[in-house]
Amino acid sequence: QVQVVESGGGLVQAGGALRLSCVASGSIFSIDSMAWYRQAPGKQRELVSSITGGGSVYYVDSVKGRFTISRDNAKNTVYLQMDSLKREDTAVYYCNAVIRRLGLGLRTPPSDYWGQGTQVTVSS
């Protein structure tokens, strides 16, 4: 069993900051990429940021310069520091981890695991 759990969402005023955390636990052999997605009401889920095991990062254009993704491989944890928040950042934020499980062998491709989501609300 593998579990992915997010925390750190909440209500913040525009211009404020929040830090999201996501921890993967369970029968984990290794974690490839970790990422944050978000879904606003009436919109499709979008990739916000991702980070590989080697530290390569990606940001969607709308958050560049404001959000910072980081990862602690020893703790199977990924963070998303969100600064200068805007109303349009309001969404449910989901953590995604691409994980190789223990005992399945290296020929078994990794699988996607998702957290339950954490609400981020930015008020004006």
Side-chain angles (χ1 to χ4, degrees):
Q1 291 260 359
V2 171
Q3 293 157 345
V4 175
V5 179
E6 307 103 333
S7 61
L11 173 65
V12 64
Q13 287 190 330
L18 283 174
R19 189 192 196 206
L20 305 183
S21 299
C22 169
V23 180
S25 63
S27 301
I28 297 172
F29 174 73
S30 64
I31 302 178
D32 292 355
S33 62
M34 301 185 83
W36 290 96
Y37 288 73
R38 67 185 179 187
Q39 188 166 19
K43 295 188 176 182
Q44 289 188 332
R45 189 175 296 191
E46 69 167 347
L47 174 61
V48 176
S49 182
S50 66
I51 185 167
T52 67
S56 297
V57 300
Y58 162 86
Y59 297 100
V60 68
D61 285 347
S62 60
V63 307
K64 284 180 180 177
R66 301 188 297 120
F67 289 11
T68 304
I69 193 169
S70 61
R71 177 171 171 172
D72 186 333
N73 291 329
K75 296 181 179 179
N76 291 339
T77 300
V78 63
Y79 306 96
L80 187 67
Q81 178 66 42
M82 305 186 294
D83 298 321
S84 303
L85 282 161
K86 304 176 181 180
R87 287 192 65 185
E88 50 264 42
D89 294 319
T90 295
V92 178
Y93 285 70
Y94 296 91
C95 178
N96 170 270
V98 180
I99 295 174
R100 295 180 185 272
R101 290 182 56 185
L102 282 168
L104 296 184
L106 293 177
R107 292 184 179 180
T108 303
S111 298
D112 278 287
Y113 292 88
W114 293 87
Q116 79 287 351
T118 185
Q119 177 71 46
V120 171
T121 303
V122 184
S123 64
S124 58

